[in-house]
Amino acid sequence: MATEHGSSSRAAQSVGGIRATEIMAAAGARELHDGEVVVVGLGLPWVACALARRTHAPSLTSIMEIGVINGNPVDTPVGLADSRIFHQSTCWSSFLDTLGMNLHRGLVDVGFLGALEVDRYGNINTTLLKGEEGQVTYVNGSAGGNDVASLARRVMIIMRHQKRKLPRVLAHLTSPGFVDGRDRAETGLRGDGPHRIITDMAILGFDPDTHLAKLLSAHPGVSVESIIENTGFPLLLPDQVATTPLPDEEQLRILRREIDPGGAYLNERFA
Amino acid sequence: MATEHGSSSRAAQSVGGIRATEIMAAAGARELHDGEVVVVGLGLPWVACALARRTHAPSLTSIMEIGVINGNPVDTPVGLADSRIFHQSTCWSSFLDTLGMNLHRGLVDVGFLGALEVDRYGNINTTLLKGEEGQVTYVNGSAGGNDVASLARRVMIIMRHQKRKLPRVLAHLTSPGFVDGRDRAETGLRGDGPHRIITDMAILGFDPDTHLAKLLSAHPGVSVESIIENTGFPLLLPDQVATTPLPDEEQLRILRREIDPGGAYLNERFA
Amino acid sequence: MADKVRTAAQVVGSIPDGSHIALGGFAIARNVNTVVHELIRQRKKDLTLSQCVMGMDTDLLVGAGLVSRLIVGGGSLDRFGLVNCVNRARESGGVIAIDATSLSISFAYLAGALGISFIPIKSMIGSEILARLEAGEAAERFQRMDCPFTGEPYLLLRAIQPDVALVHVQRADREGNCQIDGPRWENEEQAKAAHRVVVIAEELVATDVIRQRPERTIIPGHRVEAVIHQPFGAHPTAVYGCYDYDAAHLTEYVRHTKRSGGIEEYLERYILNSSDYDDYLHKSGGLKHLDTLKARPGLGY
Amino acid sequence: MADKVRTAAQVVGSIPDGSHIALGGFAIARNVNTVVHELIRQRKKDLTLSQCVMGMDTDLLVGAGLVSRLIVGGGSLDRFGLVNCVNRARESGGVIAIDATSLSISFAYLAGALGISFIPIKSMIGSEILARLEAGEAAERFQRMDCPFTGEPYLLLRAIQPDVALVHVQRADREGNCQIDGPRWENEEQAKAAHRVVVIAEELVATDVIRQRPERTIIPGHRVEAVIHQPFGAHPTAVYGCYDYDAAHLTEYVRHTKRSGGIEEYLERYILNSSDYDDYLHKSGGLKHLDTLKARPGLGY
């Protein structure tokens, strides 16, 4: 994280020692309602779910696409195929169950996704990057990302706020948001599409009519100007820009003492 | 069985104390090759499979549609949902696995079926009977019967040989054989259709061109005339009618001592 | 954690007349009799029932006159007899029966569970079953189609998504995580296809017990709306690992249903005059009798 | 009972060039490395591989130049890095990649397993993934269709039925009955879709052990053609309940694959000069090192 490495003044400043990752985790948790079903990967989305479960949403169900429901890791996993995330689950199943009988069935309220790039309609690229001369560098592809973006009721993107990562035109549209601004149903997709982009500078939403990305709140200490400067696409601005709430004492205690005492995610540089 | 109850001279006579059910079980077993996959219910088909496994086909796989593979009952089950058939299985699964991922997948070599009525194209009725004035009496319906008849490579029918059970016209076509004599593929069905009808009097097959039922062998002591008399539809006759082989000493020992010592199936009156 | 434990009376109170209910029983195994009795006591009307292989559960509901429509593969009480109430209602036209096959019902549930509105199948083609379906009340649920990739002819089935699925299981926790021992017939797809899932559990366990064997969780808690804890709740049908079928009771049941008027006597004696399932179990011989049905270790029946 | 235990060399000897092989690994878990090594040693050619999420298994085969075509959802070595050999081959055009999604690959395997030649899905619509698929080499595998019952737009996927599926499991008996602990990703549908199934088992058990927990049998023996018994057979990837991933080895692997020419060194050092998998394990640190990776009881890693 920027605040950890002191390499940038553009991201959320450490306010009273609160890191941008903590603001993001709390912001993610706030978007989750009790009883909802969430498809989640590792990293900050997983921290956000864990925080929500331990505070206002004890009946949240977290599903990992590999076939793990409500795991309770006691050691830090290195990835989605790490046995550490299988620990103490309530159910072990399969892609067909998690992505089929839950996500495709229309039962997933929230899907969390990361991104190499996101455009102003919330379309996501996780497949490849293009250099200045058009040369292509492949990365991970979709895996379940396109499925989640196509089918979850609300999609939440957690990513680093950089101009090149929020471009006018994606190098590749892996996972659809509002595509070219059309209604989701018109595109033939289920779910309501992208809901929030949570970055280390701000929280973005989408205009209900045009489906264009819109600034909702700036993290404490981050100026609207620097957000615009670090966004590659034109960003809708509200009349008044709110300030993202800081996590409270109890949330910070849970994040730091219970969920991620080693700082594996909260100290992390994330893409 | 007729020979048990002494109520009829039309069925196979007890030859050297061998019951018609034993001839039928041995005939069923003879049709099964080692390594094949069989979908089977209870009764004589189950006895035939068990006999094949203990003699020439030790690698036979027997599947029960409820989701039981290679069960090893130690007590006599009363039906397909009886816990006794779950005992010591190698796999417990579901309809989707047994009828879907095996039968519909095209992996089932042999399907055994019972019948209320069978016509000369091997079409089966298990749904209803019609009285002389057309009044309808419902029985069991298809369950997996139509699925097996539609999809297994070879279908084997085990039933009592009676004129009313082998009629010219079925009261209801539940499970297709050769339908009206067309090739199976023309009807849109998989598998090669009905292969044998094993009764307490004879073994019937089907003419490869016309798909009409044809007498293959008469059980010892049963005359061709009595078979014709007890068959409601016209039966093709070969130039020379073979005699169904009797089970040998070893087969009889296994049937009587190991598989069905209580005579639950071998003493049974079957429909 | 949400505590979803409810009584059968509470659950049934929330099921409207006219609902489509999927039943988890198969012939004489794991019938959802606990809820069936309560549906009869609360005199629900105009139900649609679906199931691969009907057993006593469906037969009771049809016999009690609660059912307008059946979507089924077949039915039987194994060697104890036929589903006489169902058959009589078919013969008299008292119920509309959409008669399909075990696999086609499973496929339609699977499609419902996956959230795809149709699925192809090769069964039923060339049979009178399909001819009747295509000429019948539910003709709009079936469509012929050739595979666009192979040209092979298929029947398309419309997905089934029941309003409520009822499943009897060996164990569940208070959040609804369910484990089934023995074969599972169509239970997983059926429950996951439904909009609401109600489970009846022989045993209520701590979530830690579930977490010890997560591979056995067939229906995860978030799919379950209510858990009814009812030991011997499937009596007189069998629950593998818990108890055997009650042959004497099943024989008595079929003796009643064979003759016209008999089912009314059975309902009166065992269901309508019982305050709840425990009361029914008491009338059916009580603990001493039930104890004789308990599964022997190593056998499961 | 058929004894299906074979060596990797025997199994690979029976796989022709040009085969479509489905791999059971996921990122850094349960990779089918035992067979992958042997495929490389026997220098198979022109393979098509399919998998939901590629890991080291696919990366090795592509890096060794055995692969012409990939049908995949995605790929990664989790925090150890990317599937660099695969990505380099994509960039150079050395491999035709049919890039789909985890769910669409799962659905296509499911269709293959059920014996239906097509299945509808809602994923991929509106994405460049689909635009590329419809314009690409495998365009004939995708078709748009509106549901005849609801009018909803769907994409139809052609079923996948691989020639061979390779799955690494915790235990199997000599007849091929397999049990998998932990999540099963696409393994069940993938194996049941394939024409031939080969399993690599950490542990070979008596059939009686299988019969004690029949609900855990994910792939029944009659679907399995060969069982390879290879403890630590997925190393350096993890097998839940048996051993953890080998972080040092994975780091070394990615260090090799990051730079051009590095994979050849890795192949030379660990695979081409090894006589079999035990020899590879010996070169990777041997028993003493492997012992440090063994799963701790109660944790599974």
Side-chain angles (χ1 to χ4, degrees):
Chain A
M1 268 314 305
T3 50
E4 290 303 306
H5 300 277
S7 61
S8 163
S9 63
R10 52 157 204 86
Q13 294 303 312
S14 169
V15 178
I18 298 174
R19 292 168 286 186
T21 47
E22 291 166 337
I23 296 171
M24 294 165 80
R30 210 159 36 235
E31 296 287 343
L32 304 175
H33 310 305
D34 198 22
E36 288 192 325
V37 178
V38 182
V39 168
V40 68
L42 285 178
L44 286 181
W46 186 80
V47 174
C49 283
L51 180 61
R53 281 185 84 136
R54 285 164 202 241
T55 53
H56 64 283
S59 296
L60 200 71
T61 297
S62 81
I63 296 181
M64 288 179 162
E65 64 178 56
I66 193 171
V68 171
I69 301 181
N70 290 333
N72 262 340
V74 292
D75 295 302
T76 307
V78 303
L80 284 176
D82 189 333
S83 303
R84 284 155 189 77
I85 65 164
F86 310 168
H87 191 64
Q88 286 278 319
S89 304
T90 53
C91 179
W92 285 332
S93 62
S94 60
F95 281 122
L96 196 69
D97 177 57
T98 58
L99 296 184
M101 297 186 176
N102 283 285
L103 181 67
H104 204 279
R105 174 70 176 79
L107 296 173
V108 171
D109 298 293
V110 177
F112 272 108
L113 293 171
L116 294 171
E117 296 179 333
V118 176
D119 72 12
R120 61 183 171 166
Y121 289 120
N123 301 305
I124 297 174
N125 171 21
T126 54
T127 299
L128 56 84
L129 292 172
K130 279 186 184 150
E132 290 192 356
E133 282 141 46
Q135 74 277 23
V136 166
T137 313
Y138 278 88
V139 187
N140 288 338
S142 161
N146 171 284
D147 304 309
V148 170
S150 299
L151 299 161
R153 290 207 188 112
R154 311 196 298 280
V155 171
M156 230 102 77
I157 303 161
I158 294 199
M159 65 186 297
R160 200 179 177 85
H161 205 126
Q162 289 184 328
K163 193 163 193 144
R164 65 169 181 83
K165 290 176 67 67
L166 297 161
R168 271 180 187 273
V169 179
L170 299 178
H172 183 274
L173 195 167
T174 311
S175 303
F178 295 107
V179 190
D180 53 7
R182 275 175 293 177
D183 279 343
R184 294 272 292 186
E186 219 179 303
T187 313
L189 296 166
R190 289 183 179 161
D192 300 332
H195 183 67
R196 295 284 182 269
I197 303 174
I198 300 173
T199 77
D200 49 345
M201 301 184 80
I203 298 175
L204 313 184
F206 292 86
D207 181 80
D209 298 321
T210 64
H211 303 307
L212 288 165
K214 179 174 179 175
L215 181 61
L216 294 185
S217 71
H219 297 346
V222 179
S223 69
V224 173
E225 291 67 34
S226 68
I227 291 170
I228 294 171
E229 196 179 306
N230 284 284
T231 305
F233 54 71
L235 189 60
L236 296 186
L237 298 177
D239 295 340
Q240 187 134 17
V241 177
T243 301
T244 312
L246 290 172
D248 63 25
E249 282 306 311
E250 174 65 3
Q251 287 174 314
L252 287 172
R253 189 191 62 74
I254 293 168
L255 285 171
R256 295 170 182 179
R257 301 275 172 84
E258 295 182 10
I259 298 175
D260 190 19
Y265 305 124
L266 294 171
N267 288 345
E268 184 188 55
R269 267 183 174 283
F270 57 92
Chain B
M1 268 314 306
T3 49
E4 291 303 306
H5 301 277
S7 61
S8 162
S9 64
R10 53 157 203 84
Q13 294 302 314
S14 171
V15 179
I18 299 174
R19 294 168 284 187
T21 48
E22 291 166 336
I23 297 171
M24 294 165 80
R30 211 162 32 237
E31 296 286 343
L32 303 175
H33 310 306
D34 198 21
E36 289 192 324
V37 177
V38 182
V39 167
V40 68
L42 285 180
L44 286 181
W46 186 81
V47 174
C49 283
L51 179 61
R53 281 185 85 135
R54 284 164 203 240
T55 53
H56 64 283
S59 296
L60 200 71
T61 298
S62 80
I63 296 181
M64 289 181 160
E65 64 177 58
I66 193 171
V68 171
I69 301 181
N70 289 334
N72 263 341
V74 291
D75 294 302
T76 307
V78 302
L80 284 175
D82 189 333
S83 302
R84 282 155 191 77
I85 65 162
F86 311 168
H87 191 65
Q88 286 279 321
S89 306
T90 53
C91 179
W92 285 332
S93 62
S94 59
F95 281 123
L96 195 68
D97 177 56
T98 58
L99 297 184
M101 297 186 177
N102 284 286
L103 181 68
H104 203 279
R105 174 71 176 78
L107 297 173
V108 171
D109 298 293
V110 178
F112 273 107
L113 293 171
L116 294 172
E117 295 178 335
V118 176
D119 72 14
R120 59 183 172 167
Y121 289 120
N123 301 304
I124 298 173
N125 171 21
T126 55
T127 299
L128 55 84
L129 291 171
K130 279 185 184 149
E132 290 190 358
E133 282 140 44
Q135 74 277 22
V136 167
T137 312
Y138 278 88
V139 188
N140 287 338
S142 160
N146 172 283
D147 305 309
V148 170
S150 300
L151 299 161
R153 289 205 190 114
R154 309 197 300 281
V155 171
M156 231 103 77
I157 304 162
I158 295 199
M159 65 186 298
R160 199 181 177 86
H161 207 125
Q162 290 185 326
K163 193 164 192 142
R164 62 168 185 84
K165 289 176 69 65
L166 297 162
R168 273 180 184 275
V169 179
L170 299 178
H172 183 274
L173 195 168
T174 311
S175 303
F178 295 107
V179 188
D180 52 7
R182 276 175 292 175
D183 278 343
R184 292 273 294 185
E186 217 180 301
T187 314
L189 295 166
R190 290 184 180 160
D192 299 332
H195 183 66
R196 294 287 181 267
I197 304 175
I198 299 173
T199 76
D200 50 345
M201 302 183 80
I203 299 176
L204 314 184
F206 293 86
D207 180 81
D209 298 320
T210 63
H211 303 305
L212 288 165
K214 178 175 179 173
L215 180 61
L216 294 185
S217 71
H219 298 346
V222 179
S223 70
V224 173
E225 291 66 35
S226 69
I227 291 169
I228 292 171
E229 195 179 305
N230 283 284
T231 305
F233 54 72
L235 189 60
L236 297 187
L237 298 177
D239 294 340
Q240 187 134 15
V241 177
T243 301
T244 311
L246 290 173
D248 64 23
E249 283 305 310
E250 174 65 3
Q251 286 175 314
L252 286 173
R253 190 192 60 75
I254 293 170
L255 285 171
R256 294 170 182 180
R257 300 273 172 86
E258 295 182 10
I259 297 174
D260 190 20
Y265 306 123
L266 295 172
N267 288 345
E268 186 186 55
R269 268 185 173 282
F270 57 91
Chain C
M1 303 301 149
D3 185 345
K4 299 177 181 170
V5 177
R6 302 283 180 275
T7 64
Q10 289 172 323
V11 164
V12 170
S14 77
I15 298 177
D17 287 342
S19 291
H20 172 170
I21 304 179
L23 304 185
F26 178 127
I28 57 164
R30 287 200 285 107
N31 280 208
V32 292
N33 286 356
T34 295
V35 177
V36 162
H37 281 209
E38 190 59 34
L39 286 163
I40 293 171
R41 273 192 293 270
Q42 294 194 24
R43 298 182 190 278
K44 295 288 165 180
K45 285 196 295 284
D46 190 27
L47 301 179
T48 293
L49 303 184
S50 65
Q51 192 170 29
C52 284
V53 178
M54 297 177 285
M56 186 183 184
D57 40 13
T58 294
D59 202 50
L60 273 170
L61 289 171
V62 172
L66 275 56
V67 180
S68 301
R69 236 163 71 121
L70 294 172
I71 305 172
V72 296
S76 133
L77 298 181
D78 276 339
R79 290 202 192 180
F80 295 99
L82 304 175
V83 284
N84 293 314
C85 298
V86 169
N87 288 349
R88 198 172 297 120
R90 285 172 198 264
E91 290 154 16
S92 69
V95 73
I96 294 169
I98 298 161
D99 283 305
T101 69
S102 295
L103 185 60
S104 58
I105 303 281
S106 291
F107 266 34
Y109 282 144
L110 173 67
L114 291 172
I116 55 180
S117 50
F118 65 102
I119 190 165
I121 194 170
K122 295 289 292 178
S123 290
M124 302 205 288
I125 294 169
S127 72
E128 195 171 341
I129 295 184
L130 183 55
R132 285 187 179 211
L133 289 170
E134 289 181 332
E137 196 252 358
E140 82 289 347
R141 303 189 69 89
F142 304 92
Q143 190 92 30
R144 311 264 187 149
M145 177 180 166
D146 291 344
C147 172
F149 305 117
T150 65
E152 203 182 358
Y154 280 92
L155 176 69
L156 298 188
L157 305 173
R158 183 167 188 166
I160 297 180
Q161 293 192 329
D163 297 312
V164 188
L166 308 173
V167 184
H168 194 98
V169 304
Q170 279 86 353
R171 78 192 65 79
D173 67 11
R174 307 185 76 92
E175 298 172 45
N177 292 295
C178 298
Q179 302 186 335
I180 294 175
D181 300 336
R184 301 176 291 273
W185 37 98
E186 78 268 30
N187 287 164
E188 179 177 354
E189 295 76 29
Q190 180 183 51
K192 290 181 176 176
H195 296 294
R196 303 167 60 189
V197 180
V198 174
V199 300
I200 307 101
E202 286 293 324
E203 198 189 353
L204 209 55
V205 299
T207 299
D208 280 349
V209 173
I210 301 291
R211 290 187 193 273
Q212 280 161 27
R213 300 218 174 279
E215 75 279 0
R216 291 175 92 154
T217 303
I218 301 301
I219 311 167
H222 69 279
R223 298 303 309 272
V224 173
E225 179 181 307
V227 178
I228 299 168
H229 179 216
Q230 182 61 62
F232 286 99
H235 176 274
T237 70
V239 176
Y240 181 75
C242 296
Y243 47 89
D244 204 358
Y245 55 80
D246 186 337
H249 193 110
L250 283 167
T251 304
E252 182 186 347
Y253 176 72
V254 173
R255 202 166 49 233
H256 277 94
T257 61
K258 261 186 179 158
R259 57 185 174 80
S260 129
I263 182 65
E264 286 76 11
E265 284 171 30
Y266 180 91
L267 294 173
E268 200 68 34
R269 175 160 175 198
Y270 285 110
I271 300 179
L272 295 169
N273 287 322
S274 297
S275 55
D276 59 16
Y277 213 77
D278 282 337
D279 192 17
Y280 154 77
L281 291 172
H282 177 71
K283 288 179 176 137
S284 302
L287 271 180
K288 200 159 178 175
H289 172 64
L290 295 176
D291 204 52
T292 65
L293 303 174
K294 270 201 182 150
R296 286 158 294 170
L299 286 178
Y301 52 84
Chain D
M1 303 299 148
D3 184 345
K4 300 178 181 170
V5 177
R6 301 286 180 275
T7 66
Q10 288 172 322
V11 165
V12 169
S14 76
I15 298 178
D17 288 341
S19 290
H20 172 171
I21 304 179
L23 304 185
F26 177 126
I28 56 165
R30 285 200 286 107
N31 280 208
V32 292
N33 286 355
T34 295
V35 177
V36 162
H37 282 210
E38 191 59 34
L39 287 163
I40 293 171
R41 272 192 294 270
Q42 295 194 22
R43 298 184 189 277
K44 294 289 167 180
K45 286 196 296 283
D46 190 27
L47 301 179
T48 292
L49 303 183
S50 65
Q51 191 170 31
C52 284
V53 178
M54 295 177 287
M56 186 183 184
D57 41 12
T58 295
D59 202 52
L60 274 170
L61 290 172
V62 173
L66 276 54
V67 181
S68 301
R69 238 162 71 121
L70 295 170
I71 305 172
V72 295
S76 134
L77 299 180
D78 275 340
R79 289 200 193 180
F80 295 99
L82 304 175
V83 284
N84 292 314
C85 299
V86 170
N87 288 349
R88 199 173 296 121
R90 287 172 197 266
E91 290 154 17
S92 70
V95 73
I96 293 169
I98 298 161
D99 284 305
T101 69
S102 295
L103 184 59
S104 58
I105 303 282
S106 293
F107 266 34
Y109 282 143
L110 173 68
L114 291 172
I116 54 180
S117 52
F118 66 102
I119 189 166
I121 195 171
K122 296 289 291 178
S123 289
M124 303 205 289
I125 294 170
S127 72
E128 196 171 340
I129 296 183
L130 182 56
R132 285 185 179 213
L133 290 171
E134 288 181 331
E137 195 252 357
E140 81 290 349
R141 304 188 68 88
F142 304 92
Q143 191 91 31
R144 311 265 187 148
M145 177 181 166
D146 293 343
C147 172
F149 305 117
T150 65
E152 205 182 357
Y154 280 91
L155 177 68
L156 298 189
L157 306 173
R158 183 166 186 165
I160 297 179
Q161 292 191 331
D163 297 312
V164 189
L166 308 172
V167 184
H168 193 99
V169 305
Q170 280 86 353
R171 79 192 65 80
D173 67 11
R174 306 184 78 91
E175 298 172 45
N177 292 296
C178 299
Q179 303 188 334
I180 294 175
D181 300 334
R184 302 176 291 273
W185 39 98
E186 78 268 29
N187 287 164
E188 179 178 355
E189 294 77 28
Q190 180 183 52
K192 291 180 176 175
H195 296 292
R196 303 168 60 190
V197 180
V198 174
V199 300
I200 307 100
E202 287 293 324
E203 197 187 354
L204 209 55
V205 299
T207 299
D208 280 348
V209 173
I210 301 291
R211 291 187 191 273
Q212 279 160 28
R213 300 215 173 282
E215 75 279 0
R216 291 175 92 155
T217 303
I218 301 301
I219 310 169
H222 69 279
R223 298 303 309 273
V224 173
E225 178 180 308
V227 178
I228 299 167
H229 178 215
Q230 182 59 63
F232 285 101
H235 176 274
T237 69
V239 177
Y240 181 76
C242 297
Y243 46 89
D244 205 357
Y245 54 82
D246 185 338
H249 195 110
L250 284 168
T251 303
E252 184 188 344
Y253 177 71
V254 174
R255 202 166 49 231
H256 277 94
T257 61
K258 261 187 179 158
R259 58 187 173 78
S260 126
I263 182 67
E264 285 75 11
E265 285 171 30
Y266 180 91
L267 294 173
E268 202 66 36
R269 175 161 177 196
Y270 286 109
I271 300 178
L272 294 169
N273 287 322
S274 297
S275 55
D276 59 16
Y277 213 76
D278 282 336
D279 192 18
Y280 153 78
L281 290 173
H282 177 71
K283 287 179 177 138
S284 302
L287 271 181
K288 198 159 179 175
H289 173 64
L290 295 175
D291 204 53
T292 66
L293 303 173
K294 271 202 181 149
R296 287 159 292 171
L299 287 177
Y301 51 85

